[in-house]
Amino acid sequence: MFLYYVDLAWRSIRKTPFLSLLMVLAISIGIGITITTLNVYKMMSFNPAGERSTQIHSVQLWSQGPDSWDEFDVNRTYQDVINLRSANLAQRQAAAFRTGMALQSDDESIAPVLQSIRVTDSDFFGIFSVPFLYGSAWEASVDTEPAYQVVIGEKLNRTFFKGENSVGRTVYLNRKPYQVVGVIKEWNPQPKYYDPTNGAFNDAEEIFVPFSLTPIEEFEVWGNTNGWKFEPMLTYNDRLISEKAWIQYWVELQGKEQIDAYSDYLAGYVEQQQALGRFTDPKQPRDKQRLVDIAAWLAQNNVVAEDNKVLVGLSVLFLSVCLVNILGLLLTKFLKRAPEVGVRRAIGASRAQIFAQYMVEVGSIGLLGGVLGLLWAVGALQILSARFDIADGLTRLDLSMWLITPMIAISTAVIAGLYPAWVVCRTKPSVYLKSQ
Amino acid sequence: MLHIKPILSSLLRSKSGPLLLLIQIILSVAIVANASFIIHERLALMSRDSGIAEEEILSFNVYNFDPSMDMAQQNKQDQQILRALPGVISASSTNMLPLSGGGWMDRLVDGPDVETAKSTPGFAFYLGNEQMVDTLGVKIVEGRNFFAEEIRSSPAESGILALVSKPLAQAFWGEESPVGKIMYQGTDQQVEIIGVIEQLQGAWVDHRNFEYSVIANVDWGGQGANSSYMVRAGAAALPGLKDSIIAALHRENPNRVIDNFKTIAEHRASSYRDHELMVTILSMMVVLLLLITSLGLAGMVMFNIERRTKQIGTRRALGARKRDIMSYFLVENYLICLAGGILGALLAVLLGQQLMKFYSLPKLELIYPLLTLAGLLLVTTMAVFFPARKAADISPALATRSV
């Protein structure tokens, strides 16, 4: 029966080619626009942490004085990070900031490259599930006893070591030797959720060095440094003892108990710092700390651009215009075929059968529109990414779209078809038989 | 005469068809009005003049990784090399690049006492030498530029002088001239204002203080391993400049990475790219929406004509002229469009209010729904005109034949 309806639908579509084409076009354009904006939205709002999202927390402290910032800063001061690190209370914990240095190897024939580098602790790799190809992170002891060790990415390993296991070999960062302890596999989470502050869709760093080297090597800060009061920064040490915030601090905590315990600890820490004359804002110590999980962190960093939300809203409205448009076209088309329906009813087709037949027809139009719409969307995304230099991660068609698109298309068409099909299956056979 | 009454009563009788068209027009007006408003607002943002010679300024980054290098000395030497290159008009080290999306923001206060001092609004804080004004191509409208011997190497030294942009001067000092005023960074660092620049924008195109800028007399390039420079050159010299800069600086010392060559015009383009993207997508939406609405309308009118062939034939037989038949369809369209347009404008305003509440969009101006309605009338007239002309061609005989 279904196949017969499909056949009927195809005949009917061919009988009114112009009208059918209009309908397919209308659906496809509506779908094309909706899927384009929805895809970008989905890519932006993707949470790469997955189920670990609630276990990874950014530690945030209200270290500013009164009448300065009116919200929590995403970064911490060096002194707070050092204190929290040495307390070592979380399951895993890592400080992190971005720097950059020139990279060379013993092979002089390869030109030095300026690389963006993450300065962090050994737990970083575990917290953010960074996969290793060779070796591993540096020992936890390096986090307290600084050593010139480095973890590099697969791509750099190919450039500088021809892809061999380079663990134990030496690379030079600003001409200083670092020993390779690990090579990570291609790892580029989009959005760059462990640090979206300088572009949420930038590429991940490919070099990682121990945070404990910071005061010795005085790594330049390639991220944001935020200050709420004037502090001269003439030397690196000025930076280290300042109230300026420039380091992200991450902890991994499992379950409510651990989270509560860590919050208690933070509140106690704030109180202790208040006694030392810091954290001067008149707020309760408990309100001067918070743990932000990944989902909230991405929201705090405005990873999903506001413009994109507006676009998704407008394109859904656009789709509804298409829906109304098709509704009107279907109504005229079906009413025109009323005499035919009259005959079918007279020779025994039930209302349900007529209804089903028209729904199949409408659904086929929707499917055609959906397929065409998906092509529009793919084209639009390609053109946009080429023309506007958008991060690849945003314009790649999400796999789920292959399922979502036909679903939206067919249901749009079916919703549009419900009323016309209902009108037409109420047709009284007698009216049309009389006029024949 | 337009014979509105019979058209209206026939519209009211055949409920669903015209009603659908009405809904479609209401939604279209609401969407198109808001979209075109956003487009217009973004275009206005993008067309703001920066006041600097964007096309002639090449910016780049030098990363020195030779630990034995004397950075301050190297910086001075590098700038001399840059200025000696053929075609180069002037060059300055800088801590930030205009319109680039990244830079320093700071405030100054007007007294040493924390309790009573009044703070300026936040401004983009440029550090550069006496050539920065020429390199940017900005105009000093009051006071003077720095002299070469006044240039310092750090903003913490004494003798800091500053040029302020006119919008900042007006925002903080009003009509009074800021030249000669002493400002403070913190409690003891003094900054003397020696000049006013007509216009200089900061780094962040969406920041509300975009027009507020200050240049201080600091040759920042010697501060650390990482230095940024701006070089201004004539249009003829610009294309080959990148290669000659790399060659000349590497000849001086090979232990550095020289990259990120970009003109300020390129920085501008990438800073405004999101807005451009928004404008493109929304324009696409508007065009497609009008297209779909008019195609749908044309399709429906065509089918109505087929259904009403007899009726039209009869009217023609009873003495209606071709013109009357055409005006019937056109007036029918106008009635629906007007009703839809008015309701759509209301919806547009409501939608605009929601957008304003949740997103940082300004209030929708009424002119946009009105313009949309005008556009819609034009497009739908075309969509109806051709089918209507076909209808007018129906011969009276057709009606009588099948009776």
Side-chain angles (χ1 to χ4, degrees):
Chain A
M1 212 54 183
F2 179 71
L3 286 179
Y4 175 60
Y5 288 159
V6 171
D7 182 46
L8 279 182
W10 181 235
R11 281 161 195 257
S12 153
I13 289 173
R14 276 209 326 219
K15 212 181 283 172
T16 52
F18 176 66
L19 205 62
S20 306
L21 187 71
L22 271 186
M23 286 191 275
V24 169
L25 268 183
I27 295 195
S28 72
I29 291 174
I31 290 291
I33 288 216
T34 309
I35 294 302
T36 306
T37 56
L38 203 63
N39 189 63
V40 175
Y41 180 82
K42 230 181 129 75
M43 289 300 191
M44 277 182 172
S45 58
F46 177 66
N47 184 343
E51 55 189 20
R52 285 178 55 76
S53 174
T54 52
Q55 297 164 15
I56 308 174
H57 300 264
S58 157
V59 176
Q60 306 196 345
L61 296 171
W62 194 275
S63 59
Q64 59 262 46
D67 303 325
S68 54
W69 300 336
D70 46 15
E71 46 197 28
F72 279 96
D73 195 68
V74 293
N75 292 330
R76 305 280 60 75
T77 64
Y78 183 77
Q79 24 179 342
D80 285 329
V81 164
I82 289 299
N83 294 337
L84 298 178
R85 262 169 106 245
S86 56
N88 200 4
L89 286 177
Q91 199 168 346
R92 282 178 176 146
Q93 52 188 354
F97 69 94
R98 182 169 165 254
T99 184
M101 287 184 270
L103 172 72
Q104 289 167 293
S105 70
D106 285 321
D107 185 347
E108 297 272 329
S109 68
I110 306 170
V113 284
L114 186 58
Q115 280 287 327
S116 173
I117 295 172
R118 186 130 301 253
V119 183
T120 189
D121 288 313
S122 58
D123 276 348
F124 179 89
F125 305 93
I127 294 177
F128 294 102
S129 319
V130 187
F132 275 88
L133 185 65
Y134 303 117
S136 63
W138 49 85
E139 295 293 321
S141 61
V142 173
D143 294 334
T144 43
E145 314 280 327
Y148 288 84
Q149 296 185 342
V150 63
V151 169
I152 63 173
E154 198 178 349
K155 223 187 295 165
L156 287 176
N157 192 52
R158 267 201 300 274
T159 313
F160 285 91
F161 298 107
K162 302 189 183 72
E164 295 159 16
N165 183 349
S166 58
V167 171
R169 311 268 293 266
T170 305
V171 294
Y172 299 87
L173 294 174
N174 283 3
R175 320 204 80 185
K176 203 159 243 174
Y178 285 69
Q179 191 193 22
V180 177
V181 291
V183 178
I184 61 166
K185 286 189 196 148
E186 209 55 83
W187 182 68
N188 190 16
Q190 298 275 310
K192 185 181 171 187
Y193 68 118
Y194 65 89
D195 185 5
T197 52
N198 295 101
F201 295 91
N202 287 355
D203 288 336
E205 289 84 11
E206 288 184 72
I207 301 182
F208 301 82
V209 297
F211 182 80
S212 51
L213 286 172
T214 306
I216 308 165
E217 278 305 307
E218 309 197 337
F219 297 123
E220 278 189 4
V221 178
W222 281 23
N224 296 346
T225 300
N226 296 330
W228 47 272
K229 64 172 185 181
F230 178 74
E231 289 168 295
M233 283 225 286
L234 301 182
T235 64
Y236 204 79
N237 197 50
D238 287 343
R239 170 183 282 276
L240 298 185
I241 58 169
S242 73
E243 284 293 342
K244 294 207 182 325
W246 50 286
I247 306 169
Q248 287 121 39
Y249 193 68
W250 296 99
V251 291
E252 180 178 332
L253 302 165
Q254 310 265 9
K256 194 173 178 311
E257 249 169 62
Q258 285 193 9
I259 292 174
D260 287 346
Y262 202 83
S263 292
D264 289 343
Y265 157 70
L266 285 177
Y269 172 74
V270 169
E271 227 164 322
Q272 172 207 334
Q273 290 296 311
Q274 274 175 339
L276 296 172
R278 296 182 65 224
F279 291 75
T280 47
D281 200 42
K283 246 178 162 224
Q284 286 305 310
R286 187 145 282 283
D287 299 331
K288 285 191 191 174
Q289 56 79 32
R290 67 173 188 183
L291 293 166
V292 176
D293 70 6
I294 294 294
W297 162 260
L298 291 174
Q300 183 187 10
N301 282 287
N302 296 321
V303 168
V304 180
E306 222 169 57
D307 274 0
N308 196 258
K309 295 181 191 162
V310 175
L311 281 183
V312 172
L314 284 181
S315 41
V316 168
L317 276 178
F318 189 104
L319 189 62
S320 63
V321 172
C322 295
L323 189 145
V324 176
N325 194 319
I326 303 159
L327 217 167
L329 293 175
L330 282 172
L331 199 62
T332 39
K333 180 177 172 173
F334 286 1
L335 283 179
K336 201 187 147 220
R337 296 223 324 259
E340 189 189 310
V341 174
V343 176
R344 287 202 61 207
R345 291 273 285 127
I347 51 181
S350 71
R351 277 186 185 178
Q353 280 172 326
I354 302 282
F355 191 77
Q357 180 205 330
Y358 279 90
M359 282 292 114
V360 170
E361 180 172 340
V362 165
S364 329
I365 290 177
L367 188 65
L368 284 178
V371 171
L372 194 59
L374 201 58
L375 293 181
W376 290 135
V378 171
L381 286 171
Q382 298 257 306
I383 292 171
L384 290 179
S385 76
R387 172 75 183 77
F388 293 100
D389 198 19
I390 308 169
D392 284 344
L394 289 182
T395 52
R396 213 177 324 108
L397 196 69
D398 192 49
L399 277 184
S400 63
M401 290 299 161
W402 293 99
L403 199 67
I404 292 176
T405 313
M407 259 167 51
I408 299 181
I410 294 178
S411 44
T412 307
V414 166
I415 292 171
L418 277 178
Y419 177 67
W422 183 66
V423 169
V424 85
C425 75
R426 271 191 329 173
T427 306
K428 287 199 184 75
S430 54
V431 177
Y432 293 100
L433 290 176
K434 242 181 265 168
S435 70
Q436 294 282 315
Chain B
M1 276 288 90
L2 292 174
H3 302 296
I4 291 179
K5 213 177 155 211
I7 297 176
L8 204 61
S9 71
S10 111
L11 277 179
L12 290 176
R13 271 158 180 276
S14 64
K15 293 152 284 183
S16 45
L19 186 70
L20 289 173
L21 200 56
L22 191 72
I23 296 177
Q24 196 178 335
I25 288 174
I26 292 174
L27 285 173
S28 301
V29 170
I31 299 174
V32 172
N34 276 289
S36 46
F37 176 56
I38 298 175
I39 292 173
H40 182 251
E41 181 224 350
R42 297 299 164 93
L43 285 178
L45 276 185
M46 288 165 64
S47 64
R48 283 177 302 180
D49 184 19
S50 68
I52 59 175
E54 293 164 24
E55 303 280 349
E56 297 175 13
I57 306 168
L58 183 66
S59 67
F60 63 96
N61 196 63
V62 177
Y63 189 81
N64 295 306
F65 57 87
D66 184 347
S68 64
M69 193 185 275
D70 176 350
M71 300 296 180
Q73 193 50 43
Q74 188 69 47
N75 171 49
K76 289 208 174 73
Q77 210 167 341
D78 287 346
Q79 291 188 65
Q80 269 160 17
I81 294 173
L82 290 174
R83 284 165 199 155
L85 287 174
V88 170
I89 299 167
S90 59
S92 174
S93 73
T94 185
N95 61 329
M96 64 182 279
L97 299 168
L99 300 143
S100 65
W104 290 24
M105 178 153 267
D106 214 327
R107 291 163 185 272
L108 291 172
V109 288
D110 64 358
D113 185 357
V114 187
E115 299 297 318
T116 58
K118 191 171 150 239
S119 166
T120 65
F123 52 78
F125 195 34
Y126 292 89
L127 303 179
N129 57 35
E130 77 284 357
Q131 293 214 358
M132 190 180 241
V133 167
D134 282 341
T135 308
L136 289 169
V138 292
K139 211 169 109 199
I140 294 183
V141 287
E142 208 188 326
R144 64 170 180 91
N145 190 6
F146 317 123
F147 297 121
E149 61 273 16
E150 289 170 336
I151 300 303
R152 301 288 184 267
S153 56
S154 151
E157 285 176 38
S158 62
I160 295 300
L161 308 174
L163 303 170
V164 299
S165 72
K166 200 166 180 197
L168 173 62
Q170 283 170 341
F172 190 68
W173 290 280
E175 288 310 301
E176 203 184 339
S177 164
V179 174
K181 299 256 190 252
I182 304 289
M183 300 293 285
Y184 290 82
Q185 267 197 315
T187 51
D188 37 49
Q189 175 64 336
Q190 293 192 1
V191 178
E192 185 190 347
I193 293 167
I194 61 162
V196 179
I197 298 167
E198 188 167 35
Q199 193 195 7
L200 176 58
Q201 296 176 331
W204 309 272
V205 295
D206 293 321
H207 200 283
R208 61 182 188 285
N209 296 356
F210 186 40
E211 298 287 345
Y212 297 170
S213 306
V214 170
I215 304 178
N217 57 335
V218 176
D219 195 358
W220 183 246
Q223 269 300 304
N226 211 352
S227 317
S228 290
Y229 295 94
M230 290 188 284
V231 173
R232 183 162 174 203
L238 211 55
L241 198 56
K242 177 183 170 180
D243 293 332
S244 48
I245 287 174
I246 294 178
L249 293 186
H250 268 154
R251 204 177 310 131
E252 159 60 26
N253 188 332
N255 286 322
R256 41 206 187 167
V257 181
I258 304 165
D259 61 0
N260 284 339
F261 282 89
K262 250 180 162 185
T263 64
I264 301 298
E266 285 166 331
H267 279 297
R268 178 195 183 102
S270 47
S271 284
Y272 281 115
R273 191 158 284 147
D274 285 349
H275 293 314
E276 206 187 334
L277 180 66
M278 190 80 169
V279 166
T280 311
I281 296 186
L282 288 178
S283 315
M284 248 163 56
M285 262 193 204
V286 168
V287 171
L288 289 174
L289 200 61
L290 289 178
L291 192 74
I292 285 191
T293 307
S294 52
L295 279 181
L297 186 64
M300 272 167 75
V301 172
M302 268 187 207
F303 267 75
N304 279 336
I305 289 165
E306 275 184 44
R307 273 178 61 203
R308 291 191 212 156
T309 304
K310 263 187 222 171
Q311 184 198 338
I312 294 166
T314 312
R315 279 195 65 199
R316 292 276 282 128
L318 290 176
R321 287 162 300 176
K322 287 191 174 188
R323 230 178 46 203
D324 296 327
I325 304 295
M326 281 196 58
S327 77
Y328 179 91
F329 284 103
L330 286 173
V331 170
E332 186 183 68
N333 170 55
Y334 291 145
L335 283 179
I336 298 175
C337 270
L338 274 180
I342 290 164
L343 292 173
L346 287 176
L347 186 67
V349 171
L350 281 179
L351 184 68
Q353 278 172 355
Q354 291 302 310
L355 287 178
M356 198 169 65
K357 198 154 70 184
F358 292 110
Y359 306 112
S360 49
L361 290 177
K363 191 168 177 276
L364 177 75
E365 285 167 36
L366 259 180
I367 185 78
Y368 288 93
L370 290 178
L371 279 177
T372 309
L373 187 57
L376 207 61
L377 284 177
L378 193 75
V379 173
T380 55
T381 304
M382 292 203 299
V384 174
F385 185 78
F386 295 101
R389 207 168 60 179
K390 210 176 118 196
D393 283 339
I394 291 172
S395 97
L398 209 76
T400 41
R401 202 180 294 154
S402 65
V403 168

